[in-house]
Amino acid sequence: MAKGEGGEQFSSASLLNKPASSDGLTRKHEHRNRLSICNKLSYAIGGAPYQITGCALGFFLQIYLLDVAQVDPFYASIILFVGRAWDAITDPTVGFLVSRSPWTRFGRMMPWIVLSTPLAVLSYFLIWYVPPFEDNKVIWYLFFYCLFQTLQTCFHVPYSALTMFISSEQKERDSATAYRMTIEVLGTVLGTAIQGQIVGMANAPCVPGPFDIPTDLNISFKSAGINDSEPVISLEHTKAAYMIASGVICLIYVLCAVVLFFGVREQKESCRPRSEPMSFFQGIKLVMGHGPYAKLVMVFLFTSLAFMLLEGNFALFCSSTLGFRNDFQNILLVIMLSATLVIPFWQWFLTRFGKKTAVYVGTLSVVPFMIMVVCLKSNLIVTYIVSFAAGVGVAVAFLLPWSMLPDVIDDFQVQNPNSTGHEALFYSFYVFFTKFASGVSLGISTLSLDFAGYISRGCSQPEEVHLTLKVLVSAAPIALIIIGLIILYFYPIDEERRQGNRKLLQEQRDNETDSDTDSTELANVV
């Protein structure tokens, strides 16, 4: 109640003290902060590298380590867990460093993006290279995976925080975020297509196990993907295909960074002085002490975890359990194409019915298809249909988290008008909790496959492996989604509060503009 009275008091006072020309100043302010389509597209393209590389790693790294690099499942689980956990730790660390970075003529975020790109590209390429030695192979993948995650964080955290500095208008930021999410989902399609199609054309045949020796050798050869009329694809061909795919993705990464640098102008913060830099743990206390932020983080901690479990194990599920060893890359592509096509629909839906409603409807829509894919008999056409329908819900997981986060930061600024310059902290801790949880989940899922008796490149797997994969792509994600949506019920920022925050922040900016004008006129008189 006190907060509402304070808001009304502030609003009334600001209305009384505004000069007659304040409407004109507001219109000028809005016009100055309006972004062109070219600006929005350039900004959106900058988000593609994170999704392209993340999609390639998320869908294919596990199967690459197990079947191509032939790392023991136990050590593969260590690589995946430590890599994701390290990635999670680097997010708040980089966010803390970015928040203390000085302003340069290129901005405060852009130098981080530009300087991290070349090394990130090199380390990404080396992840997909099989070294010519066996003893230290695990160290090789762990080192370059962690190095790439660190360098990509140096790109993505400043890029995410850049949302708050391309415009001070909430409407323009929301529009730019919609562009960004569309391009990022296209990035996932591109990552899936490049990695999947190039690798799929050089998919080495599986290796029959002790229980896979039928009496008819022709059946054995067909089940292993070997055809007498076609050249036999060796494991070396598959290794080369992974390197070619990574080279193409590296080139796209560099091009996107160049477009972002030349197409987006970072705006300096408002004339309000920035708050004093705070320590790492003070930053945690600051952002997690804001109730709406803590609730939003928990919501997408669970829902993102659900989709990451699905993403990390779906390729293995399609190739091992469903038996679509030569089609899984096309199934993944259908999911991402579907998600791309429905992004504009969800953008319209959230503006019409609100963001909380969009999260509920979109996330729950994927649950029936998670159940169907494990309950129905293995059928390629049905799997394609289910995958397309599942992509409709996956789109929500891409769009909504990044669309709701600026609302939380605006809410924080309204309640703490004297605490500024912490945008990078909010974005970095937001990513931290999601990535840490995904590291735990991916490590545990790969470790559970080891316990179930997973056979590298095996033409068939034990029944325990099939059961484990069904749990990892259906039962566990559904449980996590339900928990996340229960927490969302208590998320306090509805459309009314969001619009109220927007008006209050606009009044603050108008007052600052008026103060600057008065100060300039006074200086001229003196």
Side-chain angles (χ1 to χ4, degrees), residues 213-245:
I213 305 175
T215 54
D216 188 347
L217 291 178
N218 289 328
I219 297 174
S220 176
F221 285 137
K222 286 179 181 178
S223 67
I226 300 173
N227 192 323
D228 291 336
S229 62
E230 297 178 1
V232 177
I233 298 173
S234 69
L235 187 59
E236 293 302 317
H237 287 104
T238 307
K239 292 177 182 178
Y242 272 100
M243 290 185 66
I244 292 170

Side-chain angles (χ1 to χ4, degrees), residues 437-505:
S438 72
V440 172
S441 69
L442 202 52
I444 290 175
S445 64
T446 310
L447 194 60
S448 62
L449 289 173
D450 184 30
F451 291 146
Y454 179 82
I455 303 168
S456 294
R457 294 181 63 202
C459 290
S460 66
Q461 300 290 343
E463 188 59 37
E464 292 81 359
V465 171
H466 298 315
L467 180 60
T468 301
L469 285 169
K470 287 180 179 180
V471 170
L472 292 173
V473 302
S474 181
I478 290 171
L480 291 167
I481 284 172
I482 291 171
I483 294 171
L485 294 182
I486 290 172
I487 298 171
L488 180 64
Y489 179 79
F490 300 97
Y491 175 69
I493 301 180
D494 53 16
E495 288 304 299
E496 183 180 355
R497 180 163 168 177
R498 191 170 74 91
Q499 293 300 329
N501 287 340
R502 185 184 67 82
K503 291 177 182 177
L504 287 172
L505 285 173

Side-chain angles (χ1 to χ4, degrees), residues 180-198:
R180 172 189 165 188
M181 292 303 109
T182 303
I183 295 294
E184 287 195 2
V185 177
L186 281 171
T188 64
V189 173
L190 202 56
T192 307
I194 292 170
Q195 192 83 9
Q197 298 305 313
I198 293 176

Side-chain angles (χ1 to χ4, degrees), residues 288-304:
M288 295 309 296
H290 187 57
Y293 179 79
K295 290 183 177 67
L296 187 66
V297 165
M298 294 303 293
V299 169
F300 288 105
L301 170 66
F302 285 101
T303 54
S304 298

Side-chain angles (χ1 to χ4, degrees), residues 148 332 365 372 391 455:
F148 171 71
L332 300 179
S365 67
M372 286 175 63
I455 303 168

Side-chain angles (χ1 to χ4, degrees), residues 322-364:
L322 297 183
F324 304 137
R325 184 175 178 82
N326 297 321
D327 296 285
F328 75 88
Q329 69 272 12
N330 297 323
I331 295 169
L332 300 179
L333 189 58
V334 167
I335 293 174
M336 292 306 164
L337 278 171
S338 171
T340 305
L341 292 174
V342 298
I343 281 282
F345 165 77
W346 287 120
Q347 179 63 21
W348 168 83
F349 190 94
L350 69 87
T351 56
R352 178 70 176 81
F353 299 102
K355 296 181 180 180
K356 283 182 69 171
T357 306
V359 175
Y360 276 115
V361 175
T363 307
L364 287 173

Side-chain angles (χ1 to χ4, degrees), residues 91-243:
D91 277 292
T93 305
V94 171
F96 172 69
L97 294 173
V98 169
S99 67
R100 305 189 94 178
S101 299
W103 180 269
T104 69
R105 67 191 184 96
F106 299 110
R108 191 150 58 96
M109 309 295 166
M110 281 296 182
W112 284 85
I113 293 170
V114 172
L115 294 175
S116 64
T117 296
L119 292 174
V121 164
L122 178 62
S123 58
Y124 178 81
F125 182 78
L126 292 174
I127 290 173
W128 302 102
Y129 172 70
V130 180
F133 47 80
E134 285 292 328
D135 293 342
N136 296 314
K137 192 185 287 185
V138 174
I139 296 174
W140 172 280
Y141 288 116
L142 187 58
F143 174 77
F144 284 110
Y145 188 35
C146 290
L147 179 62
F148 171 71
Q149 298 287 20
T150 303
L151 292 165
Q152 190 188 49
T153 298
C154 292
F155 181 106
H156 191 64
V157 167
Y159 170 76
S160 300
L162 192 62
T163 309
M164 305 302 293
F165 299 105
I166 56 175
S167 175
S168 59
E169 293 296 321
Q170 188 184 81
K171 185 178 179 182
E172 291 297 302
R173 294 200 307 259
D174 282 348
S175 176
T177 299
Y179 274 83
R180 172 189 165 188
M181 292 303 109
T182 303
I183 295 294
E184 287 195 2
V185 177
L186 281 171
T188 64
V189 173
L190 202 56
T192 307
I194 292 170
Q195 192 83 9
Q197 298 305 313
I198 293 176
V199 170
M201 289 187 294
N203 197 13
C206 61
V207 178
F211 305 105
D212 295 323
I213 305 175
T215 54
D216 188 347
L217 291 178
N218 289 328
I219 297 174
S220 176
F221 285 137
K222 286 179 181 178
S223 67
I226 300 173
N227 192 323
D228 291 336
S229 62
E230 297 178 1
V232 177
I233 298 173
S234 69
L235 187 59
E236 293 302 317
H237 287 104
T238 307
K239 292 177 182 178
Y242 272 100
M243 290 185 66

